[in-house]
Amino acid sequence: MNPMPVSVSYSELLRLTWPEIAVTLAGILILALDLTVLRRASLAARLRSGVAIACAGCIAALFLLGYSDAFASLPGSMLVITPLTHVVQMALLALAIFTLLLSFSIRFTSHIGEYFALILFATVAMMFLVATQNLLLIFVALEFLSLSLYILTGFDKHSRQSAEAALKYFLFGGMSAGFLLFGMSLLYGLSGSIELPKIAAALSGPAPGPGYDPLLWVAIVMVAIGFGFKIAAAPFHLWAPDAYQGAPTVSAGFLASSSKVASFFIFAQVVAVALAPVAGSGAARAYTPGWVPTLILIAALSMVVGNLAALAQTSLRRLLAYSAIGHAGYMLLGIIAHSPRGLSALLYYVITYALAVVGAFGVLGALESEGIDRIADLAGLSKRAPGLALCLLIFLLSLAGIPPLSGFFAKFYIFSAALESEPHLGLLWLILLAVAMSAVSLYYYLRVLKAAYVAPAPLDQPKLRIAPATRLTLWILAALVVLVGCAPSLLLNSLGIR
Amino acid sequence: MHLALFLIFGALCVAGALNLLLQRHPINSALSLIVVMSSLAVLYLLLGAEFLAAAQVIVYSGAIMVLFTFVIMLLNAGREERTRGSKMAYVIGFPGAAVLLALLADIFITHSGEFHRVHAGEYVVSTAALSGVLFRDLLLPFEVTSILILIAILGAVALARKEH
């Protein structure tokens, strides 16, 4: 083991991590206040102050991000900050704010401080996750994130489903962490470095050619399995439907949106930066082994399994879970494209997807007080809560990919990026499969909307009462989905597509 | 001097480990474990790994064993009961352990010529080098881990407590 000749300037480290520190401090402050000053206060007051402090922390971090350097890095690739990581971090903070605003009406726990602190800490983990190119910090941040998400999933102590979901998620997550660590240790063994760029340099080096080392293939498959669990791609998706159904709605929305954004970004970084020399190709008649064919297999399987299984669901949350598996398949296309354009398309897709999913779970949360989870229970929603039904319409049509909503452009960009990847049109069969599966997905999304809009309402049901904060947040989310769809350049310019 | 200390504490370590397995009462087993861990710490010290030795005493012999004894005393655990399973463990376990020992001994004896000589303490990382890694090269993961542990405590409390 040779000592690394690195010198770290502590002030530099502090300066670069200010946004993360701000969010962490907000989390600790909430925890401290909730356990001391606000101990005897009413639940509503504690909720209000918790949301206020948490949002203040996130907004402070947004400002600090806005004023920090566009390009910076720490020795050992500990932190590699680019305009792209800034955009992703801002998206994560914005999603955290939306999640917090939607949690005004949570009733399942009286431990508000812990709950909000966990959401903030998970956000901190994701911010570190997207800003690093060092395998050690990637693993630590990923486990940090997973640990917070397990607890958020099992936070509803009154529900057996919540406990079951958390346990399943924990067991699957622990297994996947083992696979990921095994893959990473093999990569370290093959390249002698834990920095993504140096791994790439070592793998592309002269003989003995990496293409002939079977350990490299084992490493690729292990890493793909490890991240496949995190992004809930088939066949590693088994935890997702239970976690989405059992978790408290706010946690489920957070799990389905923010963690997807961060996991997809770092997955793309690991394979596109560290494993760039061994990409391979899955194009028809030009097959070469590498991580691209592996991911093509996972993507195709996710699209088919997710979308077909979603057809059979009667529970709204399970439907969203299976459709998330299908969406994970589409998003993998952005990684498979293996180009800067593919990465930008992936980020546009995953960010707009996260907005729509947070919104959809927000609607579910608003309906939860009525005990609505079956699709059939939505009957007459357009009469009982017209605003809510309209929001649901926008979110689901965006997920289905109907123009002019953002989901359509997301699919368009990601499919075209995959088509343009070398060799030209080599992945046509996969895109055709993706388009066909999109058509399938339209059917089950419309089935939900049919229940909400067309099915006759049961008689004498009163109008739904929805908290003003929830209503406002849902409207903002719906407006964003429409706005980013009508003017995609707003987001695309910052992601680097022209 | 080194050899004498190594023999004494090595023997103590093995004796403690055997006693740990043979004792019927949990508290005796726990105390034997302390003997094992403390003598291991002396062995580390003999190799020149002073930080590892100190950590071994503080963390394992200290913190973790105190926790073990607390749990045993709080649960008021009595003598171990013999079940069918423990008989099976005798029947399968002892031959299994013997086979494993024979296998390892065979490998070591047949391949002993291929081993390279290593001087004691050659590959041991000093405390200064360790702190260099911990507080300079890998400072950020180290700090992130501290919040991770906070999360773990928070989660353990949140999941274990009764909700009213």
Side-chain angles (χ1 to χ4, degrees):
Chain A
M1 206 171 90
N2 49 339
M4 284 184 279
V6 278
S7 64
V8 177
S9 143
Y10 290 109
S11 59
E12 178 84 352
L13 180 63
L14 187 66
R15 207 166 55 78
L16 291 180
T17 50
W18 264 127
E20 285 89 351
I21 293 173
V23 182
T24 312
L25 285 180
I28 293 173
L29 187 67
I30 293 178
L31 209 54
L33 282 183
D34 199 62
L35 293 176
T36 55
V37 183
L38 296 168
R39 208 179 160 77
R40 307 247 173 269
S42 70
L43 190 64
R46 287 165 59 203
L47 266 171
R48 269 198 299 276
S49 65
V51 172
I53 300 170
C55 286
C58 289
I59 290 167
L62 275 175
F63 274 109
L64 287 167
L65 271 180
Y67 285 113
S68 59
D69 308 346
F71 290 94
S73 67
L74 283 179
S77 303
M78 264 321 160
L79 283 183
V80 178
I81 291 167
T82 62
L84 213 55
T85 62
H86 267 171
V87 177
V88 178
Q89 286 185 326
M90 286 180 176
L92 289 171
L93 286 168
L95 287 168
I97 293 175
F98 288 128
T99 307
L100 289 163
L101 288 176
L102 284 172
S103 53
F104 254 121
S105 51
I106 53 176
R107 289 290 171 269
F108 57 85
T109 179
S110 56
H111 301 283
I112 306 298
E114 281 100 323
Y115 193 71
F116 287 157
L118 279 171
I119 290 181
L120 288 185
F121 288 146
T123 308
V124 172
M126 289 187 277
M127 289 172 74
F128 277 123
L129 191 56
V130 299
T132 180
Q133 294 203 354
N134 182 303
L135 282 184
L136 179 67
L137 191 56
I138 289 176
F139 187 75
V140 169
L142 210 53
E143 280 315 288
F144 182 1
L145 169 64
S146 305
L147 206 57
S148 326
L149 292 179
Y150 305 146
I151 304 165
L152 284 173
T153 306
F155 216 87
D156 187 355
K157 299 293 290 292
H158 301 295
S159 148
R160 293 176 66 92
Q161 269 191 333
S162 174
E164 186 193 333
L167 192 63
K168 274 186 186 164
Y169 188 20
F170 172 66
L171 292 177
F172 275 110
M175 282 288 291
S176 79
F179 277 109
L180 189 61
L181 195 58
F182 197 4
M184 284 179 171
S185 62
L186 286 178
L187 281 182
Y188 174 61
L190 287 166
S191 65
S193 175
I194 52 172
E195 298 166 42
L196 301 188
K198 285 194 182 166
I199 293 175
L203 290 182
S204 62
Y212 304 103
D213 197 336
L215 275 185
L216 184 63
W217 306 132
V218 178
I220 288 175
V221 171
M222 292 279 177
V223 168
I225 292 175
F227 279 112
F229 272 107
K230 301 284 177 213
I231 60 174
F236 319 113
H237 62 281
L238 295 167
W239 59 272
D242 288 308
Y244 281 35
Q245 192 179 26
T249 325
V250 178
S251 309
F254 189 65
L255 180 66
S257 59
S258 294
S259 84
K260 272 268 163 75
V261 176
S263 305
F264 260 105
F265 183 73
I266 199 62
F267 189 16
Q269 289 285 67
V270 168
V271 292
V273 176
L275 299 175
V278 285
S281 168
R285 288 188 297 280
Y287 172 81
T288 37
W291 53 263
V292 167
T294 316
L295 292 192
I296 287 179
L297 195 68
I298 298 176
L301 207 59
S302 303
M303 287 186 231
V304 174
V305 169
N307 284 312
L308 293 187
L311 288 176
Q313 303 307 317
T314 53
S315 150
L316 259 174
R317 286 158 166 243
R318 287 188 90 83
L319 185 141
L320 282 176
Y322 279 106
S323 89
I325 295 161
H327 280 287
Y330 305 139
M331 290 182 224
L332 280 173
L333 291 176
I335 304 182
I336 289 165
H338 192 35
S339 60
R341 206 181 146 74
L343 182 63
S344 307
L346 168 70
L347 291 178
Y348 181 81
Y349 195 118
V350 75
I351 290 172
T352 52
Y353 168 80
L355 286 176
V357 157
V358 166
F361 273 100
V363 173
L364 282 184
L367 295 175
E368 202 171 47
S369 55
E370 300 278 308
I372 292 180
D373 183 45
R374 285 175 39 238
I375 295 172
D377 292 342
L378 284 176
L381 186 71
S382 61
K383 298 277 187 313
R384 299 176 63 200
L388 208 59
L390 185 62
C391 287
L392 188 67
L393 176 87
I394 291 173
F395 297 139
L396 290 189
L397 287 186
S398 174
L399 288 177
I402 301 291
L405 301 168
S406 54
F408 168 75
F409 290 99
K411 281 200 173 115
F412 175 73
Y413 288 125
I414 212 160
F415 291 172
S416 65
L419 274 182
E420 282 169 11
S421 68
E422 292 297 320
H424 198 61
L425 292 185
L427 291 174
L428 188 62
W429 66 273
L430 192 63
I431 306 301
L432 288 179
L433 179 71
V435 173
M437 284 301 143
S438 285
V440 171
S441 76
L442 187 60
Y443 170 75
Y444 60 74
Y445 287 126
L446 285 181
R447 206 158 59 95
V448 177
L449 294 176
K450 179 183 156 220
Y453 271 91
V454 183
L459 293 173
D460 59 81
Q461 278 199 329
K463 288 219 163 200
L464 281 171
R465 288 215 347 266
I466 300 151
T470 308
R471 196 179 304 170
L472 184 68
T473 316
L474 288 177
W475 279 120
I476 294 173
L477 280 167
L480 273 177
V481 168
V482 176
L483 184 70
V484 179
C486 292
S489 56
L490 287 179
L491 184 55
L492 284 175
N493 283 346
S494 53
L495 293 175
I497 299 186
R498 294 280 178 267
Chain B
M1 177 66 186
H2 259 122
L3 187 66
L5 280 176
F6 174 76
L7 287 177
I8 294 170
F9 282 98
L12 206 57
C13 190
V14 173
L18 284 177
N19 193 41
L20 163 78
L21 292 176
L22 296 175
Q23 284 294 331
R24 275 288 130 69
H25 206 285
I27 200 80
N28 296 347
S29 294
L31 292 176
S32 319
L33 193 54
I34 296 182
V35 173
V36 175
M37 287 177 173
S38 309
S39 21
L40 270 181
V42 177
L43 294 188
Y44 292 150
L45 205 57
L46 287 178
L47 285 171
E50 68 272 6
F51 180 78
L52 199 57
Q56 174 84 9
V57 170
I58 295 170
V59 177
Y60 283 96
S61 321
I64 293 182
M65 285 320 299
V66 167
L67 217 61
F68 267 31
T69 30
F70 259 130
V71 170
I72 291 169
M73 288 177 174
L74 281 178
L75 293 179
N76 206 5
R79 285 170 66 89
E80 212 180 329
E81 277 175 32
R82 290 252 185 143
T83 58
R84 270 166 83 94
S86 60
K87 266 188 210 141
M88 286 299 288
Y90 275 110
V91 173
I92 300 172
F94 279 116
V99 167
L100 195 65
L101 192 68
L103 190 67
L104 284 175
D106 182 50
I107 290 172
F108 272 111
I109 290 166
T110 49
H111 292 268
S112 59
E114 297 163 30
F115 292 143
H116 301 287
R117 286 203 171 274
V118 174
H119 293 288
E122 194 177 347
Y123 288 107
V124 173
V125 180
S126 70
T127 311
L130 203 66
S131 62
V133 171
L134 210 53
F135 296 111
R136 190 188 60 211
D137 305 347
L138 302 178
L139 177 64
L140 191 58
F142 179 64
E143 295 297 338
V144 173
T145 310
S146 67
I147 322 177
L148 192 151
I149 291 173
L150 176 67
I151 286 280
I153 300 170
L154 207 68
V157 173
L159 293 181
R161 101 189 115 203
K162 278 206 172 72
E163 197 100 353
H164 302 297

